[in-house]
Amino acid sequence: MEDLCDGNMELKEIQTLAGHSDRVWSLAWNPATGTSNNPPVLASCSGDKTVRIWEQTPSNRLWHCKAVLEETHTRTVRSCAWSPCGKLLATASFDATTAIWENIGGDFECVSTLEVFYLKISTFGICSRRMV
């Protein structure tokens, strides 16, 4: 703990999570995981139109892909976020949809898809899109 206070912290790569075939845009830690009985879980979303659920194996602390959530979004999945209880995962895509996924017995099921709108904003001659 003393190293953290002194600013002598060093970050090092422990594993590369390979699987997405395009850029990864966001990662989200499941807040209800990471206890002794419940290994850490995270979600990643990508330009390959998929979301991957990753789980750490307690015995060797290596990460593996537990599930691939696909066939819901038709364009880049740009963002993902867990509910506080960790049972629901929301994903947002450039296809103008947000999907809600529920963890049902270890399997993720898309329980709702919401249409969202894009608002085109032009500032200083630069055009950008913002999800509303």
Side-chain angles (χ1 to χ4, degrees), residues 11-116:
L11 296 176
K12 62 181 179 177
E13 180 181 309
I14 56 170
Q15 184 180 349
T16 299
L17 305 182
H20 285 293
S21 61
D22 201 337
R23 176 183 301 183
V24 173
W25 284 99
S26 182
L27 294 172
W29 290 96
N30 184 320
T33 63
T35 63
S36 58
N37 296 354
N38 197 4
V41 172
L42 63 91
S44 61
C45 59
S46 169
D48 66 8
K49 308 172 199 165
T50 69
V51 177
R52 290 181 176 263
I53 308 299
W54 304 89
E55 184 177 81
Q56 189 178 48
T57 305
S59 59
N60 60 11
R61 299 184 54 87
L62 293 178
W63 292 86
H64 67 279
C65 183
K66 183 178 177 176
V68 179
L69 314 182
E70 54 191 347
E71 298 179 10
T72 295
H73 293 296
T74 59
R75 292 185 62 195
T76 295
V77 184
R78 186 65 193 266
S79 183
C80 56
W82 294 95
S83 64
C85 70
K87 189 170 181 171
L88 299 174
L89 176 69
T91 58
S93 170
F94 282 142
D95 65 7
T97 64
T98 295
I100 307 298
W101 303 84
E102 185 174 5
N103 184 350
I104 302 171
D107 292 324
F108 287 84
E109 182 180 322
C110 183
V111 294
S112 183
T113 303
L114 311 166
E115 289 187 34
V116 294

